[in-house]
Amino acid sequence: MTALAAEIGATAVSVVDAAKAGEIIIIAIPTKAVADLPRALFANVPSSVVVIDIGNYHPELRDGRIDAIDHGMLDSQWVAQQIGRPVIKAFNNILAKSLLEKGVPRGTKGRIALSVAGDSFDAKAAVLRLVDDLGFDPVDGGDLDDSWRQQPGMPAYCKDLEAAALRRALAEADRSRIAEYRAEQEARIADRRPRLAADASACPHLRAGR
Ligand SMILES: NC(=O)c1ccc[n+]([C@@H]2O[C@H](COP(=O)([O-])OP(=O)(O)OC[C@H]3O[C@@H](n4cnc5c(N)ncnc54)[C@H](OP(=O)(O)O)[C@@H]3O)[C@@H](O)[C@H]2O)c1
């Protein structure tokens, strides 16, 4: 981790220190690992600090079954419950390669849009600004209770859409099909794994199966 941090201009710290490290904290670990985070991780972190959940629940491919989510809790609602703190859902529906390579200045034709869902107006506004700063058009994805619209397999999931198309895709999602969309997405990932593995050897930033 220290070597990777040096390569990308970051500083590697412990999980506990990472939670206290800034105004915006991004949880970027497998969903199942969220349950293993220290219990009081955010206890002394000011409430003004924004926590972003970029995770996606992949029960068959990686995370194992999480009953609460299987019974209707949304992915990010479960994460918020685990860490005892509200989260903003963002960046879960763009692949790492696009996030790394496809950001462009505001106003550029074809700029990819990213949706941001959450309950706090101020926290969501901070993340919408971050999306813009990183080179993507920010789109308000509603409250956290709307965040299913950007979960795995939904029409707005990892399609690198422009703002108008992303809004349409968010609107056309069907809540009754969350599990079905997720299963379809997992099947697509499983199907692509051999090709991704080959691509990953050519591009160190693209790792298989994500
Ligand atoms: N990759 C993408 O394109 C992409 C796009 C959107 C969303 N996501 C979602 O983002 C999340 C992370 O994905 P990823 O691709 O970054 O996964 P990853 O490459 O497997 O990285 C996971 C990271 O989490 C760390 N980790 C694992 N268990 C941990 C624990 N108990 N406590 C602290 N850290 C732990 C790992 O550390 P070690 O290496 O030390 O184990 C590793 O640094 C997933 O939910 C994924 O679905 C990924």
Side-chain angles (χ1 to χ4, degrees):
M1 185 61 99
T2 303
L4 175 64
E7 185 190 325
I8 63 174
T11 305
V13 297
S14 70
V15 169
V16 171
D17 286 341
K20 294 187 285 198
E23 295 163 20
I24 295 180
I25 306 298
I26 300 176
I27 298 184
I29 61 177
T31 298
K32 66 177 176 189
V34 172
D36 299 331
L37 290 173
R39 282 297 88 188
L41 186 57
F42 291 99
N44 297 316
V45 176
S47 59
S48 58
V49 170
V50 178
V51 180
I52 303 178
D53 170 34
I54 70 148
N56 292 306
Y57 170 48
H58 289 302
E60 296 297 331
L61 295 179
R62 185 190 61 204
D63 295 317
R65 288 282 160 196
I66 297 174
D67 280 350
I69 300 180
D70 286 346
H71 285 94
M73 189 178 271
L74 303 185
D75 298 11
S76 289
Q77 288 172 337
W78 182 82
V79 170
Q81 183 192 61
Q82 296 302 304
I83 65 168
R85 172 132 186 159
V87 299
I88 301 291
K89 189 175 195 73
F91 303 111
N92 74 296
N93 55 346
I94 180 167
L95 292 175
K97 188 169 163 47
S98 292
L99 189 61
L100 182 72
E101 297 175 355
K102 295 187 179 171
V104 291
R106 190 184 312 158
T108 305
K109 195 169 179 323
R111 195 186 200 210
I112 293 170
L114 296 179
S115 50
V116 176
D119 297 334
S120 158
F121 179 86
D122 290 342
K124 191 159 60 174
V127 180
L128 287 165
R129 281 194 299 276
L130 177 62
V131 166
D132 192 24
D133 288 348
L134 290 174
F136 302 90
D137 275 347
V139 166
D140 189 334
D143 296 336
L144 203 63
D145 196 42
D146 297 309
S147 64
W148 59 272
R149 294 182 183 277
Q150 61 189 73
Q151 284 188 177
M154 291 289 168
Y157 187 71
C158 295
K159 298 264 178 62
D160 287 357
L161 302 173
E162 295 176 37
L166 178 62
R167 288 194 183 91
R168 277 197 302 275
L170 289 166
E172 76 188 30
D174 178 352
R175 189 166 191 159
S176 71
R177 296 186 57 211
I178 288 176
E180 197 181 329
Y181 279 126
R182 195 190 306 278
E184 287 169 3
Q185 181 63 26
E186 288 204 288
R188 276 192 291 271
I189 294 171
D191 193 45
R192 284 198 329 253
R193 270 189 163 158
R195 184 166 55 79
L196 282 168
D199 287 352
S201 58
C203 174
H205 299 294
L206 180 61
R207 284 176 286 170
R210 311 278 152 58

